[in-house]
Amino acid sequence: MTAVIPPSVGAARGLVEPVLRDAVARLDPLTARVASYHLGWTDPAGGPVSSGGKALRPALVILSGRAAGGSAEQYLPAAAAVELVHAFSLLHDDIMDGDRMRRHRPSAWTVFGCSAAILAGDGLLSLAGELLLEDGAPGRVRAAHRLSIATRELVAGQALDLEFELRSDVSLDECREMATLKTGSLLACACSIGATAAGGPAPLVAALTAFGTEAGLAFQLTDDLLGIWGSPEVTGKPVLSDLRSRKKSLPVVAALTSGTAGGERLAGLLAGSEPLAEADLQEAARLVEETGGRSWAETEAKHRLDAAERHLADVDMPADVRAEFLDIAHFLTSRGH
Amino acid sequence: MTAVIPPSVGAARGLVEPVLRDAVARLDPLTARVASYHLGWTDPAGGPVSSGGKALRPALVILSGRAAGGSAEQYLPAAAAVELVHAFSLLHDDIMDGDRMRRHRPSAWTVFGCSAAILAGDGLLSLAGELLLEDGAPGRVRAAHRLSIATRELVAGQALDLEFELRSDVSLDECREMATLKTGSLLACACSIGATAAGGPAPLVAALTAFGTEAGLAFQLTDDLLGIWGSPEVTGKPVLSDLRSRKKSLPVVAALTSGTAGGERLAGLLAGSEPLAEADLQEAARLVEETGGRSWAETEAKHRLDAAERHLADVDMPADVRAEFLDIAHFLTSRGH
């Protein structure tokens, strides 16, 4: 079953989308068109469509501001800025990874070409800084600085991901570090930047950061499981998508480093560069399961979620904010299961 | 002859390079390696080389801070940030334009691949915001905001440049707008951001911005002339490079819109998509000259330089700072002539 989207996520989307649309309208027409398509607002010709992303990160930013005692409206520029950085990274990652589908649609580079997609990503990233620095929130400078660092960490995570493609000896620790940088950093930033912008106390910001890092890892583990066993209706990608692209995801690396005959067989299957036959893909998925890669990732996701909850329990915040944070964390780790 | 590099540019390089190296060292190893190569500090294997860029923009940032009464050291983060944005844009532009040479060396994407080059550009752009927001200068937020806007304008200029490649009806006004966005914006930002960071008076910031915009256009016109008639030793690119790539540079568009038979012949030559023969390239260059494209660009560059000087005369600043600004403006428009 597909988990129900938490109400705070739906509300965040309604609040942040006008801010995002105003921001994207500052871009030149070509770049704005690619960005609008990528954000799910328009079709390739620029006509309006009604889809759009889930606004998970904006919802976390708003909750984070509320945790520090602010109102949702106060943290919308930060919420929009985090979403812009997220959109930028997906746009560029799709080019680098050669991913042709994104949210059930052809990815932007396949529609507009690589140059326009590179440029649209650059434009979205520049808008993030622009928005955040216009904000009147007391901690906006610290927030903008934090977002720059998260962006640098995103880049570092993607760099490791690219490097792993060329290596056959990736350890589980390295893979976890990559996931922490690539997914955990921006999620940790989303969970804490509202409190930072609000000038909230350092222990609150630290606890929210730790919550976001752990929730981010749980999310990545879930996403990696979906990348193998998720149905195309949920993931918007072909079945066994991550095996097809030989991605060194966490469950795959757990299987490869299991020290089992199945792990060696899996390494052999993933070693070549020719497209894998459907039978090989099925066997690879079975091997990840048989060698314990799947159950390890499922257990690890639960542990990470528990750790995230403990960090949240460490600090004071309004009860409804805490409940909504947990609601989103559970949603992140239950999509499509 | 090649014009002598102004002393303030050499001094700026010595001041800003340590700040840039510290910043790049924050990147992950893969991204840092590509960035270091692109910045001219290392060879493809990561071994040190002694070249590096000219630090024109950092010199302008430092002068701009001094114009508002600051000392050079105070504005080094802003100087480094502008150089990082410049480096980011060159890295991504080379990929989009398919340019294989940069500063007499193979461009980064030809050495490390497109993915690593996209990522290194992203890393450099994120570092620019990070550095500027750590700075203690009073106007750092306004400066960082200004740099974000300049980056968005750079993107808009490059978007127009890409669009022009597909069109045969580009007007001179459109071409000038593109050059203003692509070259003028960041140069205007470089000329004013030091004063902005110093909390300098609005009329000074406005005059320095106008100076930088005009000097930027004069620079682009000069660069476009070099793109056709510059020697490979000066440009680091093949002879007739911009005609080879059918670039709609300012002198070319002036020729194409001259309403002459030569302009029509030039349009015919540039219309195809097959590589142009050497004889065709020679003829195209002659046509730009015969139709007045070359002399228009030379005269226009002089007019822009005069306008830049007038803007500088409008405001008070130390005499040595004014002289150094003019020195750099003249250098920008005399390279290789």
Side-chain angles (χ1 to χ4, degrees):
Chain A
M1 58 134 207
T2 305
V4 176
I5 294 177
S8 61
V9 174
R13 185 175 158 188
L15 286 168
V16 86
E17 197 175 300
V19 183
L20 285 172
R21 284 186 184 264
D22 280 352
V24 168
R26 299 181 192 184
L27 296 170
D28 64 277
L30 172 69
T31 310
R33 190 165 144 195
V34 181
S36 298
Y37 174 83
H38 176 64
L39 287 160
W41 302 337
T42 48
D43 62 26
V49 295
S50 57
S51 60
K54 278 193 296 288
L56 280 167
R57 287 163 191 79
L60 292 167
V61 176
I62 291 169
L63 281 176
S64 151
R66 285 173 55 203
S71 73
E73 287 72 15
Q74 270 184 281
Y75 308 107
L76 291 184
V82 169
E83 190 66 7
L84 288 167
V85 170
H86 178 57
F88 138 80
S89 78
L90 295 181
L91 201 40
H92 281 189
D93 284 2
D94 281 347
I95 304 170
M96 294 184 238
D97 300 339
D99 283 338
R100 306 188 67 86
M101 295 298 287
R102 161 77 51 200
R103 291 175 185 153
H104 307 272
R105 302 196 306 165
S107 48
W109 69 271
T110 68
V111 177
F112 301 96
C114 282
S115 294
I118 292 172
L119 210 46
D122 295 345
L124 291 171
L125 184 55
S126 73
L127 280 178
E130 194 179 331
L131 272 196
L132 205 40
L133 293 166
E134 277 163 10
D135 185 11
R140 62 176 173 162
V141 179
R142 200 182 287 260
H145 184 242
R146 185 68 195 76
L147 187 58
S148 289
I149 293 173
T151 307
R152 168 162 61 77
E153 290 174 345
L154 267 183
V155 166
Q158 174 68 4
L160 281 180
D161 206 0
L162 292 176
E163 195 206 321
F164 290 176
E165 278 178 28
L166 309 171
R167 282 175 46 193
S168 58
D169 62 343
V170 177
S171 72
L172 203 47
D173 276 348
E174 288 179 308
C175 196
R176 214 183 323 230
E177 187 200 348
M178 186 269 279
T180 303
L181 289 165
K182 198 169 163 173
T183 309
S185 291
L186 192 61
L187 220 66
C189 183
C191 290
S192 59
I193 196 173
T196 302
L204 175 65
V205 171
L208 291 174
T209 301
F211 167 79
T213 304
E214 297 290 355
L217 261 175
F219 175 45
Q220 188 58 58
L221 286 154
T222 308
D223 208 56
D224 284 355
L225 289 163
L226 285 171
I228 303 176
W229 292 283
S231 72
E233 295 80 53
V234 172
T235 63
K237 295 179 179 178
V239 283
L240 304 168
S241 167
D242 282 357
L243 293 173
R244 225 173 271 278
S245 60
R246 296 180 160 83
K247 196 175 158 198
K248 300 222 170 54
S249 68
L250 285 156
V252 168
V253 172
L256 290 172
T257 57
S258 61
T260 61
E264 274 177 46
R265 168 79 189 129
L266 180 65
L269 277 173
L270 299 179
S273 60
E274 293 293 299
L276 286 158
E278 291 303 314
D280 289 340
L281 290 169
Q282 298 288 351
E283 189 191 350
R286 204 174 56 244
L287 288 167
V288 177
E289 187 144 11
E290 285 173 10
T291 55
R294 180 176 192 167
S295 62
W296 172 83
E298 286 168 350
T299 307
E300 183 73 7
K302 285 196 195 79
H303 287 167
R304 293 300 179 165
L305 195 57
D306 291 345
E309 292 200 29
R310 283 196 299 274
H311 286 296
L312 216 56
D314 279 351
V315 282
D316 274 339
M317 67 183 70
D320 60 332
V321 173
R322 190 190 311 271
E324 287 177 42
F325 262 128
L326 293 176
D327 206 16
I328 295 181
H330 284 278
F331 171 70
L332 285 175
T333 52
S334 62
R335 301 171 313 143
H337 290 295
Chain B
M1 59 134 207
T2 303
V4 176
I5 295 177
S8 62
V9 174
R13 186 175 157 187
L15 287 168
V16 87
E17 198 175 299
V19 183
L20 284 173
R21 285 185 183 265
D22 280 352
V24 168
R26 300 181 192 184
L27 296 170
D28 63 275
L30 172 69
T31 310
R33 188 165 145 194
V34 181
S36 298
Y37 173 82
H38 176 63
L39 287 160
W41 302 336
T42 47
D43 61 26
V49 294
S50 58
S51 60
K54 277 194 297 285
L56 280 167
R57 287 162 192 79
L60 292 167
V61 175
I62 292 168
L63 280 177
S64 152
R66 285 173 56 202
S71 73
E73 287 71 17
Q74 269 184 283
Y75 307 108
L76 290 184
V82 170
E83 189 66 6
L84 287 167
V85 170
H86 178 56
F88 137 81
S89 78
L90 295 181
L91 201 40
H92 281 190
D93 284 1
D94 281 347
I95 304 169
M96 294 183 238
D97 300 338
D99 283 338
R100 306 188 67 85
M101 294 298 287
R102 160 77 53 199
R103 292 175 184 153
H104 307 271
R105 302 195 308 165
S107 47
W109 69 271
T110 69
V111 176
F112 300 97
C114 283
S115 294
I118 291 173
L119 209 47
D122 295 346
L124 291 172
L125 183 54
S126 74
L127 280 178
E130 195 179 329
L131 274 196
L132 204 40
L133 293 167
E134 278 163 9
D135 184 13
R140 62 175 173 163
V141 178
R142 202 183 285 260
H145 184 242
R146 186 67 195 77
L147 188 58
S148 289
I149 293 173
T151 307
R152 167 161 64 74
E153 290 174 345
L154 266 183
V155 165
Q158 174 69 2
L160 280 180
D161 205 1
L162 292 176
E163 196 206 321
F164 290 176
E165 279 178 27
L166 309 171
R167 282 175 46 194
S168 58
D169 62 344
V170 177
S171 72
L172 203 46
D173 277 348
E174 288 179 308
C175 197
R176 213 182 325 228
E177 188 201 347
M178 186 270 278
T180 303
L181 289 165
K182 199 170 161 174
T183 309
S185 292
L186 191 61
L187 220 64
C189 184
C191 290
S192 60
I193 196 173
T196 301
L204 175 65
V205 171
L208 291 174
T209 301
F211 167 79
T213 304
E214 297 291 355
L217 262 175
F219 175 45
Q220 188 58 58
L221 286 153
T222 307
D223 208 55
D224 284 355
L225 289 163
L226 286 170
I228 302 176
W229 292 282
S231 72
E233 295 80 53
V234 172
T235 64
K237 295 179 180 179
V239 283
L240 305 168
S241 167
D242 282 358
L243 293 173
R244 224 173 273 277
S245 60
R246 295 181 160 82
K247 197 174 158 199
K248 298 222 170 53
S249 68
L250 285 156
V252 168
V253 173
L256 289 171
T257 57
S258 61
T260 61
E264 272 177 46
R265 169 80 189 127
L266 180 65
L269 277 174
L270 299 178
S273 60
E274 294 292 300
L276 285 159
E278 291 303 315
D280 289 341
L281 290 169
Q282 299 289 350
E283 188 189 351
R286 203 173 57 243
L287 287 167
V288 178
E289 187 143 13
E290 284 173 10
T291 56
R294 181 176 191 166
S295 61
W296 171 83
E298 286 168 350
T299 307
E300 184 72 8
K302 284 196 196 79
H303 287 166
R304 294 300 181 167
L305 195 56
D306 291 344
E309 292 200 28
R310 282 196 300 276
H311 285 297
L312 216 56
D314 278 351
V315 282
D316 274 339
M317 67 182 70
D320 60 331
V321 172
R322 191 192 310 271
E324 288 177 41
F325 263 129
L326 293 177
D327 206 17
I328 295 181
H330 283 278
F331 172 69
L332 285 175
T333 52
S334 62
R335 301 172 312 143
H337 289 296

